[in-house]
């Protein structure tokens, strides 16, 4: 398949039925975040989304409260009230009490973390903050992006349900290269930047949890003990354990014709 055709397909042909299944759980997740103040704003998102996990986890560790709004994909984000604020119609989306709006999970989570510098979520100094940003960008672009592209291809989201075994293999190889680098990088560190959880650790844990439900089966997970030890530690933190929920890991990577 011509790579140019594949790239164009990313923007076309979404299967709404499958998309609804992923982004509209039967019941709204119950997330109770306690904090010393009123909610800092409203968030539209769903907990199956890794980006929503970023935001709610950052708020929980910072001791802030976020008002998680009921959301039904294809309904809430198509409503005039939502589109007046967020014209792209995508989630997660945040509106502060002062009317300040933001899109993109990592950006919203970073804003939330910045409201409480003493939380340590952005590190303790400018160099720490730069490393937090480094790892967030790396994890999202070098690991998560490949998980999402593979999942979309397997689920038939592209035009005419396009699937390419060659492209699938190439994406897996690129993700594997990044995972090997990450495994080595955290070999002697409990957390990515400081001696406690930062936003980078939250993003990594959420991204890995998602990858382990798509591209990383039991055999693949065994290759990355440091990464999965990190995930287990972050996801088990009492402040965010309920947000991460039970991990739905696959025994073998999803394959074309066998993905649900």
């Amino acid at each position: 398949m011509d790579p140019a055709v594949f790239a164009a397909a990313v923007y076309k042909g979404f299967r709404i039925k499958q998309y609804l299944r992923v982004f509209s759980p039967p019941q709204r997740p119950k997330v109770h975040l306690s904090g010393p103040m009123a909610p800092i704003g409203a968030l539209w998102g769903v907990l199956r989304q890794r980006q929503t996990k970023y935001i709610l986890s950052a708020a929980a560790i910072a001791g802030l409260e976020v008002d998680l709004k009921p959301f039904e994909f294809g309904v809430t984000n198509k409503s005039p009230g939502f589109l007046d604020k967020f014209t792209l119609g995508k989630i997660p989306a945040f509106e502060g009490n002062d009317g300040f709006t933001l899109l993109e999970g990592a950006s919203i989570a970073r804003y939330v973390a910045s409201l409480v510098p003493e939380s340590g979520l952005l590190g303790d100094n400018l160099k720490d903050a730069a490393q937090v940003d480094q790892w967030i960008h790396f994890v999202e672009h070098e690991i998560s992006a490949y998980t999402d592209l593979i999942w979309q291809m397997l689920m038939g989201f592209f035009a005419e349900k396009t699937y390419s075994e060659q492209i699938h293999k190439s994406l897996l190889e690129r993700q594997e290269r990044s995972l090997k680098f990450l495994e080595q990088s955290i070999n002697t560190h409990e957390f990515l930047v400081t001696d406690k959880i930062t936003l980078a650790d939250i993003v990594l844990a959420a991204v890995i949890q998602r990858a382990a439900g798509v591209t990383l089966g039991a055999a693949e997970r065994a290759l990355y003990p440091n990464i999965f030890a990190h995930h287990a530690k972050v996801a088990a933190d009492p402040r965010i354990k309920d947000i991460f929920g039970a991990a739905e890991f696959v025994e073998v990577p999803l394959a074309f014709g066998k993905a649900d």
Side-chain angles (χ1 to χ4, degrees), residues 13-20 154-158 161:
F14 283 88
R15 284 169 55 189
I16 299 301
K17 181 177 179 181
Q18 294 289 354
Y19 207 68
L20 285 170
L154 293 175
M155 298 303 292
F157 273 28
F158 300 147
K161 303 180 182 179

Side-chain angles (χ1 to χ4, degrees), residues 71-193:
F71 183 86
E72 182 180 356
F73 187 81
V75 177
T76 307
N77 60 316
K78 299 297 183 182
S79 66
F82 189 91
L83 292 174
D84 282 346
K85 298 171 183 172
F86 310 105
T87 56
L88 194 57
K90 66 177 291 187
I91 58 170
F94 173 83
E95 182 181 23
N97 294 332
D98 60 357
F100 174 61
T101 58
L102 271 178
L103 295 175
E104 300 300 335
S107 297
I108 299 170
R110 198 185 197 290
Y111 170 71
V112 170
S114 72
L115 297 177
V116 186
E118 60 270 26
S119 69
L121 283 166
L122 300 179
D124 301 320
N125 52 57
L126 290 176
K127 290 181 179 179
D128 286 350
Q131 287 190 317
V132 169
D133 286 343
Q134 167 195 274
W135 285 115
I136 290 173
H137 288 299
F138 173 80
V139 168
E140 287 208 307
H141 293 288
E142 301 296 336
I143 298 175
S144 184
Y146 300 131
T147 300
D148 291 344
L149 281 171
I150 289 169
W151 183 80
Q152 289 169 1
M153 185 165 58
L154 293 175
M155 298 303 292
F157 273 28
F158 300 147
E160 300 179 359
K161 303 180 182 179
T162 304
Y163 175 78
S164 166
E165 183 177 356
Q166 181 180 359
I167 291 174
H168 186 176
K169 180 180 178 182
S170 177
L171 294 174
L172 285 173
E173 289 172 347
R174 293 181 184 186
Q175 185 179 72
E176 179 183 9
R177 174 176 176 269
S178 299
L179 288 167
K180 287 180 177 178
F181 167 73
L182 180 61
E183 176 71 12
Q184 294 173 350
S185 298
I186 62 176
N187 184 40
T188 58
H189 298 85
E190 185 176 13
F191 299 112
L192 286 172
V193 179

Side-chain angles (χ1 to χ4, degrees), residues 168-235:
H168 186 176
K169 180 180 178 182
S170 177
L171 294 174
L172 285 173
E173 289 172 347
R174 293 181 184 186
Q175 185 179 72
E176 179 183 9
R177 174 176 176 269
S178 299
L179 288 167
K180 287 180 177 178
F181 167 73
L182 180 61
E183 176 71 12
Q184 294 173 350
S185 298
I186 62 176
N187 184 40
T188 58
H189 298 85
E190 185 176 13
F191 299 112
L192 286 172
V193 179
T194 68
D195 60 356
K196 57 186 176 182
I197 292 176
T198 66
L199 185 57
D201 297 295
I202 292 170
V203 172
L204 172 57
V207 164
I208 289 300
Q209 185 164 304
R210 170 65 172 154
V214 179
T215 60
L216 302 177
E220 289 76 23
R221 295 194 295 274
L223 299 174
Y224 309 112
N226 295 325
I227 292 175
F228 280 92
H230 175 275
H231 168 269
K233 188 171 186 65
V234 174

